[in-house]
Amino acid sequence: MDFGVVLQTHPPASRTVELARQVETHGFSHVWTFDSHLLWQEPFVIYSAILAATRKVVVGPMVTNPATRDWTVLASLFATLNEMYGNRTICGIGRGDSAVRTLNGRPSNLATLRDSIEVIRELANDRPAQVGDRTVRFPWAKGSELDVWVAAYGPLALKLTGEVGDGFILQLADPDITAWMVKAVRDSAEAAGRDPDAVKICVAAPGYVGDGASPSERAHMREQCRWFGGMVGNHVADIVTRYGTDSAIPKALTDYIKEREGYDYNEHGRAGNSHTRFVPDEIVERFCLLGSPHEHVERLRELQALGCDQFALYLQHDNKEETMRMYGERIIPALAEQVVATA
């Protein structure tokens, strides 16, 4: 299993670059960032500095969208970074949340998402793409390579992911929901004539490492990560609006938003925000990884058994460096030892 870290590009940008350098030092393979240009700094500018300060990590957005960014410009950004730093980029993409809603916009429809994936991937892999009534190609992007991983929750988005995605990004770490969604993606890939195992699976969620022995410490961990249930709730609310509460979607995903009253994007992804009180403790425990290194390892082994190829660790809490250190020193090696033992 690979490991990534998901950062927000708060100023100063030098702090984001330094965190990314630590990410590589602790043995992670990927550095992801939010992509919401009103809420945080422009990530693609910072990617160049991250790539210059590191040797191996792969960087990219978790996630960009086809509404606020021109598809050909996105492809050019990735291809340019690949030429400069040697094919160390990845594109996570979805319909759009904070980047579009802060502009009073709406997420892209799935047809637009599908078309954007085709254009971005073809151009950034040094192939021609159809843009409107024109066929275009970058004459300078020789040897550029880019995978496009799709973030999805709803049935039709999962179907699209299986049909066209190089990978699937699931932003929660509940094993039961993960099993359902991974099956949906792989069934779709197989129906489309693809190798279902070729679609990489990335589970992304906050992780907070601590002793967790006392009730007060455990409660603090939950409060630091409760924001995540609110963020996921934005997407779940869209699903419930479209499909209702009696669909095949797991009840654990849809039931918890019944008390949701709204969302303030000024506090998006922020620990201790004021509008996620509706998220119950059980959901925080199920969606996130909290507690001792042993607890993290046990959950990660469950996810790995379900086909997870990468776990991406959100670090929007007050224990960033220590959590990274414990992953580097204890958790990542424990999962590597398991692979060796199995082999």
Side-chain angles (χ1 to χ4, degrees):
M1 181 187 286
D2 289 332
F3 289 86
V5 166
V6 187
L7 304 174
Q8 289 173 340
T9 53
H10 287 295
S14 58
R15 167 68 168 159
T16 305
V17 175
E18 173 57 24
L19 283 171
R21 191 193 62 76
Q22 292 180 44
V23 167
E24 181 171 74
T25 299
H26 288 303
F28 293 84
S29 61
H30 288 67
V31 174
W32 304 88
T33 73
F34 286 56
D35 178 15
S36 190
H37 58 287
L38 291 183
L39 298 178
W40 303 289
Q41 291 180 319
E42 167 56 42
F44 280 88
V45 177
I46 299 172
Y47 292 160
S48 192
I50 290 173
L51 289 164
T54 56
R55 297 181 300 112
K56 295 180 180 179
V57 289
V58 175
V59 305
M62 186 178 283
V63 293
T64 193
N65 72 87
T68 59
R69 292 192 179 273
D70 180 273
W71 311 345
T72 61
V73 175
L74 263 178
S76 182
L77 287 166
F78 285 116
T80 301
L81 291 171
N82 284 341
E83 188 279 326
M84 293 174 68
Y85 300 105
N87 288 330
R88 290 170 55 198
T89 65
I90 190 167
C91 178
I93 192 167
R95 296 174 58 225
D97 182 34
S98 59
V100 294
R101 296 188 197 271
T102 51
L103 293 169
N104 202 31
R106 295 171 59 87
S108 301
N109 61 41
L110 292 178
T112 298
L113 179 59
R114 182 188 295 269
D115 291 343
S116 71
I117 292 168
E118 177 74 11
V119 170
I120 294 165
R121 180 165 50 206
E122 293 308 290
L123 290 177
N125 280 282
D126 189 23
R127 298 190 292 261
Q130 191 71 25
V131 181
D133 60 357
R134 297 193 61 186
T135 300
V136 297
R137 184 172 188 169
F138 298 145
W140 47 266
K142 304 300 181 186
S144 177
E145 297 177 1
L146 179 75
D147 281 352
V148 180
W149 291 16
V150 186
Y153 290 103
L156 292 180
L158 295 170
K159 180 175 182 291
L160 179 147
T161 302
E163 291 169 347
V164 303
D166 297 308
F168 166 45
I169 296 172
L170 172 57
Q171 289 161 303
L172 56 82
D174 177 81
D176 293 336
I177 297 173
T178 299
W180 184 84
M181 292 195 172
V182 168
K183 183 179 186 303
V185 168
R186 288 188 166 157
D187 286 350
S188 172
E190 188 171 20
R194 305 179 67 197
D195 177 2
D197 293 330
V199 182
K200 299 296 184 182
I201 307 297
C202 175
V203 169
Y208 194 118
V209 179
D211 181 33
S214 71
S216 61
E217 184 180 1
R218 194 78 181 195
H220 177 75
M221 292 181 185
R222 287 195 295 266
E223 287 308 312
Q224 286 289 301
C225 297
R226 198 176 304 276
W227 65 267
F228 184 68
M231 186 185 82
V232 173
N234 294 331
H235 304 285
V236 176
D238 288 343
I239 293 170
V240 170
T241 299
R242 181 179 180 88
Y243 298 101
T245 57
D246 297 323
S247 66
I249 301 165
K251 294 291 186 183
L253 183 60
T254 58
D255 282 356
Y256 85 95
I257 67 162
K258 290 177 180 178
E259 303 301 321
R260 180 180 183 269
E261 296 179 350
Y263 193 82
D264 182 359
Y265 279 94
N266 290 313
E267 296 184 314
H268 186 58
R270 184 185 301 173
N273 60 33
S274 61
H275 56 276
T276 56
R277 297 187 183 95
F278 72 92
V279 181
D281 289 351
E282 178 192 4
I283 287 296
V284 181
E285 294 278 357
R286 292 182 66 168
F287 284 13
C288 307
L289 276 68
L290 311 177
S292 68
H294 174 74
E295 289 178 272
H296 284 249
V297 169
E298 289 302 302
R299 176 74 68 85
L300 289 166
R301 284 174 175 164
E302 286 186 77
L303 295 171
Q304 189 174 41
L306 295 172
C308 178
D309 298 289
Q310 181 182 150
F311 176 67
L313 175 69
Y314 280 94
L315 282 178
Q316 286 66 52
H317 54 60
D318 62 3
N319 197 37
K320 295 179 180 63
E321 281 86 351
E322 178 63 12
T323 293
M324 271 200 294
R325 186 181 72 83
M326 294 305 292
Y327 262 76
E329 293 183 6
R330 296 185 59 180
I331 296 168
I332 294 175
L335 269 293
E337 289 170 7
Q338 180 192 15
V339 171
V340 171
T342 302

